[in-house]
Amino acid sequence: MLLQDLVRRGGEQRVTGFAIDHRKIEPGYVFGAFAGARFNGEDFIPEAVERGAVAIVCRPGVDTGTAFRIESDNPRETFARIAATFYAPYPDTIVAVTGTNGKTSTVEMCRQMWRMMGKRSASIGTLGVTTADDQVKTGLTTPDIVTFLNNMAGLERMGVTHVAYEASSHGLDQHRSEGVHVAAAAFTNFSRDHLDYHPTMEDYFEAKMRLFDEVVAEDGTAVVWTDDPSSDAVIARAKQRGLKLMTVGERGETIRLGDRRSTALGQAMAITHDGETRLLKLPLIGAYQAANVLTAAGLMLATGAGWDDVFAAMGRVSPVRGRLERAVISKKGAPVYVDYAHTPDALEAAIAALRPHVEKRLITVFGAGGDRDTGKRAPMGEVAAASSDIVIVTDDNPRSEDPSAIRAEVMRGAPDAIEIGGRREAIEKALSLAEAGDIVLLAGKGHEQGQIIGEVTHPFDDAEVARECAA
C-alpha cells in the first residue's frame, strides 16, 4: 500500500505495516512514537529507524532521523487514522459499549444474540476476541490500536459481519479503538474506577464520552441505559452530536423495564417496546444482568434487527465467563459464584443479585488489586460488610504492592472481616463455613486465570480453585 503523503527524497515509500512497539518494527513500517505511562516512544525512534521504519508519527519538531516525519499535535489520533486506512476492510456492522461495569457482558450478549439471528458475529474485550468457534485472549479490555485494527480486519477475512467491542476509558483516551465505522454506541453506567490513571472523575467521564463525541459515526445511534445518575448527561451529549437516540431501562422510551422478580434459575420481567408489553424469562440472575441484556437488545434494534427476533434471543442468552458464573455446588449444598466485580458499585450489584437467592447466609470473599486506584479499597470493604453475612478479605492481584497493606486498607471498611492472605486458603475457608442454604461469592478476578504477585503471574482461576476445594 502507498500512503500518498509519505514521500521521502522524491520517491514513494512502500508501507508494509504499523507498530507502536519499536521491537516489532520491520522494513517498511510506520512507527507511532507516543509518550506512555512508563515509556516515551520518542526515545526509541533511532532503533525503529535502524529496524527499517520509513515514517514516524510524532509530535511536531521531534527528530526522526532519516525516516519521514508525520507531525501531529495528537499523534495517537493521527496514527490511528492512517493505520485504519491501511488495514481495511472491516466487518459491515460494528457497535461499541462503554461504562464502568457491564461492558463485557453486554458485548458478549450482542455476539450471542446476533448468532441466534444467523449472523456471523464476534466480541472483543476483556475476555479477548470471541467468535462462535474460538476465543483468543488479548490481555487488555481494549488492545493497542494495531492489534485492534488487525483483529477487526482478520474477523472480516473470516467472514464475520457483526462485531461488538468494549470501549474502555483507557482505550478511548489513547485512541486505541479508532478508524472503523461504529454504527451504534452504548452506555451502561458510571461509577468510581481507574483513578490511578484518570486525574479526576470528570476526566474519567470525559474519556468515556469520546465514544459519543467522536468515535461513533455521525449517522450512528446512541443506546443509553436510563437508570444511572450519569445517564442524562450522556443523553445530552448524544443529542448535542445529533446522534439517533434509543433509551432502555425503567425510564426507557425504546425498551421500558417494568416489574421484575427473581426466579429459581433467573428472573422474569415485563418489558415494553413500541406499545406492547411482554414477559421475558431471562436465564440470568441479578438486576445488572437485566440492564446488560436490555442494552444489548437496544444495540440489536439500532443495527436493524426486528423486535420479535430480539425478544426471542434475549430469552436464550448464556452466562458470560466470570460474571456471576456458578462455579460449583459444595458438598454441603452451597452454590459458589465467581464474579469480576472489582469496584464498590460492581461488588454491591453482585451481592444484590445473589441476595434474593440466599436462604441463610451470604459469604463474600474478595480483595483489591495493587498498583490501582487505592481510594476504592475501603469503600469496597464497606459494601461487603453492609451486604454480606460473612466477609473474608484476601489477596487479589497485589502486583508490586505489599499484600498485607492492601488488605489493611480494605479492612478499614470491614473491620470485622476475616483476613486470610492466601486466596486459595480464603476460598477453602469460605467453603468450609458454607452450609446448605448459604451462597458463596468469590469477587474480583472473575474470568482471570492468573494471580499477579510482584512481576510474576501465577496460575490461578477462582472457578477452578473452588471446584478443587469442593471436591
Side-chain angles (χ1 to χ4, degrees):
M1 173 183 176
L2 296 175
L3 296 181
Q4 299 303 316
D5 61 346
L6 209 169
V7 179
R8 172 170 167 262
R9 295 181 182 175
E12 291 181 324
Q13 293 292 306
R14 181 165 294 277
V15 175
T16 60
F18 286 71
I20 61 173
D21 184 338
H22 70 284
R23 295 167 297 184
K24 296 181 180 179
I25 293 292
E26 297 180 12
Y29 270 39
V30 176
F31 177 54
F34 317 135
R38 298 177 61 189
F39 303 104
N40 184 355
E42 295 170 357
D43 296 337
F44 302 100
I45 289 175
E47 293 180 53
V49 173
E50 185 177 347
R51 286 175 173 267
V54 295
I56 312 294
V57 181
C58 57
R59 295 178 301 127
V62 172
D63 183 7
T64 60
T66 57
F68 184 77
R69 183 171 64 233
I70 302 175
E71 296 185 348
S72 174
D73 291 330
N74 191 339
R76 289 183 182 273
E77 188 278 334
T78 300
F79 182 87
R81 177 169 45 80
I82 299 173
T85 302
F86 178 85
Y87 288 103
Y90 307 109
D92 294 334
T93 301
I94 299 174
V95 302
V97 179
T98 199
T100 302
N101 302 306
K103 297 186 295 297
T104 300
S105 293
T106 302
V107 301
E108 174 57 13
M109 288 174 180
C110 285
R111 184 195 70 78
Q112 292 183 27
M113 292 165 72
W114 273 323
R115 185 189 179 200
M116 294 174 204
M117 298 175 202
K119 311 295 185 184
R120 294 201 64 179
S121 57
S123 62
I124 300 177
T126 305
L127 298 181
V129 181
T130 305
T131 66
D133 306 312
D134 197 12
Q135 185 178 87
V136 179
K137 299 188 183 304
T138 61
L140 293 169
T141 299
T142 309
D144 69 85
I145 181 63
V146 177
T147 301
F148 174 78
L149 295 172
N150 252 322
N151 287 340
M152 283 290 188
L155 290 170
E156 193 276 339
R157 290 192 295 272
M158 291 169 53
V160 169
T161 58
H162 290 64
V163 179
Y165 75 90
E166 297 181 50
S168 69
S169 62
H170 290 68
L172 289 163
D173 186 57
Q174 297 174 13
H175 298 266
R176 288 196 251 143
S177 53
E178 313 285 308
V180 298
H181 183 274
V182 178
F187 169 79
T188 58
N189 50 63
F190 181 74
S191 61
R192 178 175 183 142
D193 201 7
H194 302 306
L195 293 190
D196 53 306
Y197 176 86
H198 301 287
T200 66
M201 286 291 286
E202 290 74 18
D203 292 306
Y204 178 34
F205 183 75
E206 286 302 314
K208 289 193 173 296
M209 287 306 96
R210 277 205 66 245
L211 180 60
F212 302 96
D213 293 344
E214 302 175 33
V215 176
V216 67
E218 290 186 1
D219 60 350
T221 301
V223 176
V224 180
W225 173 255
T226 59
D227 304 328
D228 185 85
S230 296
S231 298
D232 288 342
V234 180
I235 290 170
R237 298 289 274 267
K239 288 181 177 179
Q240 183 178 352
R241 176 89 186 283
L243 301 173
K244 294 185 283 291
L245 180 65
M246 290 185 172
T247 56
V248 300
E250 292 182 6
R251 298 190 295 130
E253 296 182 1
T254 307
I255 304 175
R256 185 177 297 273
L257 173 63
D259 292 336
R260 189 181 64 84
R261 59 181 175 82
S262 298
T263 64
L265 299 175
Q267 54 192 304
M269 52 194 190
I271 56 174
T272 302
H273 170 71
D274 203 19
E276 177 190 14
T277 300
R278 299 185 185 183
L279 182 66
L280 173 66
K281 295 180 179 179
L282 183 67
L284 305 171
I285 65 173
Y288 77 84
Q289 292 288 35
N292 294 336
V293 78
L294 292 185
T295 303
L299 288 168
M300 297 295 101
L301 295 175
T303 51
W307 178 241
D308 287 343
D309 289 336
V310 173
F311 185 84
M314 281 192 287
R316 296 166 54 200
V317 292
S318 300
V320 177
R321 177 79 166 93
R323 273 63 181 175
L324 281 183
E325 173 191 1
R326 192 172 70 184
V328 70
I329 296 178
S330 74
K331 289 181 178 179
K332 297 178 184 178
V336 181
Y337 286 86
V338 172
D339 194 83
Y340 190 50
H342 57 277
T343 67
D345 277 21
L347 185 59
E348 185 175 30
I351 293 172
L354 292 173
R355 179 54 71 181
H357 302 269
V358 177
E359 297 176 11
K360 294 181 179 178
R361 301 174 301 173
L362 178 63
I363 303 170
T364 301
V365 181
F366 79 105
D371 302 333
R372 298 295 186 268
D373 179 10
T374 60
K376 66 182 181 182
R377 294 172 182 173
M380 288 179 69
E382 292 170 3
V383 165
S387 306
S388 308
D389 299 292
I390 298 175
V391 177
I392 300 176
V393 173
T394 187
D395 294 339
D396 189 284
N397 292 314
R399 299 183 176 87
S400 70
E401 288 193 59
D402 177 2
S404 63
I406 298 174
R407 296 195 301 273
E409 290 187 61
V410 173
M411 292 187 68
R412 287 199 194 101
D416 297 326
I418 300 169
E419 180 181 3
I420 302 175
R423 195 168 180 92
R424 175 179 289 272
E425 290 72 24
I427 294 172
E428 287 177 342
K429 179 65 173 179
L431 266 66
S432 73
L433 294 173
E435 304 284 346
D438 294 342
I439 288 180
V440 177
L441 169 63
L442 310 179
K445 292 179 61 57
H447 63 281
E448 293 178 357
Q449 295 179 314
Q451 184 178 29
I452 307 171
I453 302 174
E455 296 185 356
V456 179
T457 300
H458 302 268
F460 200 100
D461 183 323
D462 274 2
E464 183 61 34
V465 171
R467 287 189 282 269
E468 292 170 0
C469 293

